[in-house]
């Protein structure tokens, strides 16, 4: 594919690659050599460049520091069977960043800028894609407001950046989660469906309280009644009850997870019944008490398939059996992993090869 944008490339003087121990990479702490950047001003995106990953400088009055007008995405690249770079469903991330941008009054990023910036960056930093089991190159595209201005109005200038991080698992063991009945992540008419920076900032305090009480994560309930399960903040959530996979519908309070969508599509092909609907906490607790729910897990780009071992509600804990090799969650984890790494045919056209 020939480029439609001109990208200026300034390579790093010295790669930091030989400082990385790929056998032990903690999620989100190691950053590859380069980043792609673009600026928005006077109504257009311009100044496309790939530069060394390095600090940026902004005026203290830049609106991003005060009003949080920022959206982001997360996707992953893998080493394919013949060493090719395989990115999992990046076109859906492209669509989603623009859906988030629209909600936050941020100008949309055109597809050629998103895809060509991504492709060039990965070609330059392909040595950073780890090849070991359960590793990948996490890709973080984001857009943020840079007007130097005090006052509430959409910025007129923005920056779009893509950087990457080699990562291991986000969660390294089955999770203990608590159903959150007091604080809200999202409300109807709000920004819950968007990957807006502020959604994550607002989730920190309730998550901190849960962590102080021994839980890894929260299961968010709806902001109006706190009676219905929505998502887990870092991931969507699914329950297996008999042959039925149950997950909350997306609407405007739940993120349209790309892993969520991929799991549902494969589950359907496997003959699993799918229910995307309102899930009351009461139903889940009753089903846990009766042993009807055999598996609960989160789905997300960072989280992949994250097994849930303990669900707590109202100070009562319900423990689920750890999924065996034939469980749905183990099988779907393997299936997705094999598609992403090219060990299994990409029958859905989900892999974008660079
Ligand atoms: C992702 O799954 O890519 C996310 O952005 C979630 C974040 C908690 C790492």
């Amino acid at each position: 594919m020939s480029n439609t944008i001109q990208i200026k490339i300034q390579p790093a003087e010295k790669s930091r690659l030989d400082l990385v121990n790929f056998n032990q990479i903690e999620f989100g702490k190691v950053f590859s050599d380069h980043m792609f950047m673009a600026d928005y001003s006077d109504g257009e995106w311009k100044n496309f460049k790939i530069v060394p990953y390095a600090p940026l400088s902004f005026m203290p009055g830049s609106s991003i520091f005060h009003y949080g007008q920022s959206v982001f995405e997360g996707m992953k690249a893998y080493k394919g069977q013949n060493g090719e770079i395989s990115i999992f469903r990046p076109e859906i991330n492209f669509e989603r960043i623009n859906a988030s941008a629209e909600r936050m009054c941020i100008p949309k990023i055109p597809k050629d800028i998103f895809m060509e910036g991504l492709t060039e960056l990965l070609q330059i930093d392909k040595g950073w894609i780890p090849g070991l089991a359960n590793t990948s190159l996490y890709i973080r595209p984001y857009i943020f407001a840079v007007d130097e201005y005090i006052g509430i109005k959409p910025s007129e200038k923005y920056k779009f950046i893509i950087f990457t991080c080699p990562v291991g698992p986000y969660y390294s063991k089955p999770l203990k989660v608590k159903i959150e009945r007091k604080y809200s992540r999202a409300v109807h008419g709000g920004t819950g469906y968007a990957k807006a920076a502020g959604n994550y900032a607002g989730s920190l305090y309730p998550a901190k309280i849960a962590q102080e009480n021994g839980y890894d994560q929260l299961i968010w309930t709806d902001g109006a009644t706190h009676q219905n399960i929505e998502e887990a903040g870092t991931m969507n959530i699914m329950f297996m009850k008999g042959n039925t996979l149950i997950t909350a519908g997306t609407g405007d309070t739940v993120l349209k997870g790309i892993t969520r969508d991929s799991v549902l599509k494969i589950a359907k092909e496997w003959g699993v019944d799918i229910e995307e609907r309102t899930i009351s906490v009461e139903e889940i607790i009753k089903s846990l008490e009766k042993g009807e729910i055999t598996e609960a897990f989160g789905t997300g780009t960072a989280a992949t398939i994250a097994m849930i071992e303990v669900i707590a509600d109202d100070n009562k804990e319900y423990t689920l059996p750890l999924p065996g090799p034939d469980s749905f969650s183990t099988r779907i984890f393997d299936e997705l992993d094999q598609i992403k790494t090219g060990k299994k045919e990409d029958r859905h056209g989900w892999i974008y090869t660079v």
Side-chain angles (χ1 to χ4, degrees), residues 233 246 299:
I246 307 169
T299 65

Side-chain angles (χ1 to χ4, degrees), residues 27 72-75 138 140 170 195 200 233-234 300-303:
F27 196 103
F72 71 97
E73 268 305 322
M75 50 190 160
Y138 187 80
R140 168 52 50 83
Y170 190 79
K195 267 186 105 68
Y200 294 80
T234 53
T301 298

